[in-house]
Amino acid sequence: MSKLWGGRFTKQTDQLVEEYTASITFDKELAEEDIQGSLAHVTMLGKCGILPQEDVETIKDGLNRVLGMIRRGELEYSIANEDIHMNIEKTLIDEIGPVGGKLHTGRSRNDQVATDMHLYLRGRVVEFVSLLQKLQEALLTQAKANLDTIVPGYTHLQRAQPILFAHHLMAYVSMFQRDIERLQDSYKRINVLPLGAGALAGTTFPIDRHFVAEQLGFEGVYENSLDAVSDRDFILEFLANASFIMMHLSRFCEELVMWSSTEFNFVELDDAFCTGSSIMPQKKNPDVAELVRGKTGRVYGNLFGLMTVLKSLPLAYNKDMQEDKEGMLDTVRTLQGALQLFAPMISTMKVNKDRMRQAVNQDFSNATDIADYLVNKGLPFRQAHEVIGKTVLYCIQEGKFLLDLSMEEFNKFSELFGDDIYEVLQPEQVVNARNVYGGTASSQVEGAIARAEKALEVTVSWVDSKLDKSK
Ligand code: ARG
């Protein structure tokens, strides 16, 4: 089969070279975006008088026919046609004849492929913002149901201070909010049109780049034609944002795996989100959480893969850049899988409130509070810390917790202790005493939930405002 670029060649391409250089096996995922870009380009060629209107209509009809073939799975992609751009162009020419060859006027695959990637990622960014927002919704529902659930809070994975379970969940809502905002910020840089840069220097045809941008819903056009075809920052930014999201999910996964162990027994993941063991009949494994945690590795790998491809690469298009696609597509699939599963896994998670309470009752996570109690009675904090350290040591030796101590025992450590100490040490009191903005007191957490719900509405309307532009 003759190549679209075959004129200058006297020999057939080596079969292995053809296979090695082709990208059609993976860039076929950009088929819809490629046609979308071509439709806008050819419309502009007509409007600028570069092609007669009659040819423009024939090409548009042809492109829509090819789109139909793609959607019905009828288009047979061929490695000989190398990539999605040439597969579509070749099919177009087969369908409508030589006039199809006019589509590529004033365009190069270099600005074409960049345009496809911008269109593709623009849609994915909206999709991921929406998926993150659904996850936040699931977290907020669980948080509201757990405003009275007290759980040990940990530092160094050692019991530290009791907190509301809702407060812990709301930490993730904040983390995912930053992820949403990072994606939204990246949208500005994704939503810029490279087309019109030609191979690298622009084109001799009197094209109208702003008209193409407007048709495709892009906010603007690349300033510099060289930059337009060289730039893959927007993909790196996406991969970095995806890495953040996966890192956040992996921390959550780690906690879910711990919490659902017999040792913690704080939560139970729904049967639908767990799997069994082929040998141990008693097992119920948190596989989804483990796999999301594990898949974080490949997403980081994709980021570093492309960072390395682009390192030291001279400007304008180099074939190395074809390596931008597989990692990006893999990241999109990985993130879709993780986020689609996460929200329902959280909504269906059973929270073992009694077990959490039992854990809180059997620890020293109220120790800071009696130190603060002594401080309020006038003792310098450093001395109070020492006194309580000794009190805790005594409790450990006696097999008691702070609330088990008699007034007499308390007074052995400090005369400043009075009857009110028993009230101060109650977990509810300990939690509600942290009544600062961002703290775990229930009124503060209620405020945080209300604010997060407002932010959620803002996200929903952002998604709605962008949806018409992406598919
Ligand atoms: N398949 C190529 C890629 O994905 C398209 C651009 C090809 N441009 C070129 N000058 N060979 O990067």
Side-chain angles (χ1 to χ4, degrees), residues 71-137:
R71 290 192 173 154
R72 292 189 301 273
E74 286 166 13
L75 202 150
E76 276 183 33
Y77 296 113
S78 98
I79 290 217
N81 287 330
E82 200 179 313
D83 58 23
I84 186 61
H85 325 294
M86 291 199 292
N87 268 271
I88 288 177
E89 192 179 328
K90 194 92 176 170
T91 313
L92 177 71
I93 294 170
D94 289 348
E95 284 291 307
I96 62 172
V99 64
K102 294 189 178 185
L103 167 65
H104 210 52
T105 311
R107 184 176 78 169
S108 156
R109 272 187 296 156
N110 298 350
D111 54 351
Q112 185 181 358
V113 70
T115 303
D116 291 4
M117 303 282 270
H118 278 269
L119 286 169
Y120 174 80
L121 270 189
R122 184 174 75 179
R124 300 295 73 71
V125 162
V126 177
E127 178 185 343
F128 288 127
V129 167
S130 174
L131 282 168
L132 283 166
Q133 173 256 316
K134 296 211 165 70
L135 176 53
Q136 285 184 320
E137 245 166 47

Side-chain angles (χ1 to χ4, degrees), residues 260 269 271 273-278 280 282-290:
S260 53
L269 296 175
D271 276 6
F273 292 89
C274 294
T275 58
S277 156
S278 58
M280 298 164 281
Q282 84 283 10
K283 291 292 291 284
K284 175 172 156 185
N285 298 325
D287 287 39
V288 171
E290 292 168 83

Side-chain angles (χ1 to χ4, degrees), residues 23 27 82-83 85 109-110 113 317 319 321-322 325:
S23 54
D27 67 13
E82 200 179 313
D83 58 23
H85 325 294
R109 272 187 296 156
N110 298 350
V113 70
Y317 184 80
K319 188 72 169 180
M321 290 161 84
Q322 183 167 285
K325 285 173 205 63

Side-chain angles (χ1 to χ4, degrees), residues 363-378:
D363 68 18
F364 293 98
S365 60
N366 45 8
T368 316
D369 292 70
I370 37 171
D372 289 352
Y373 172 93
L374 293 179
V375 169
N376 283 325
K377 302 254 166 171

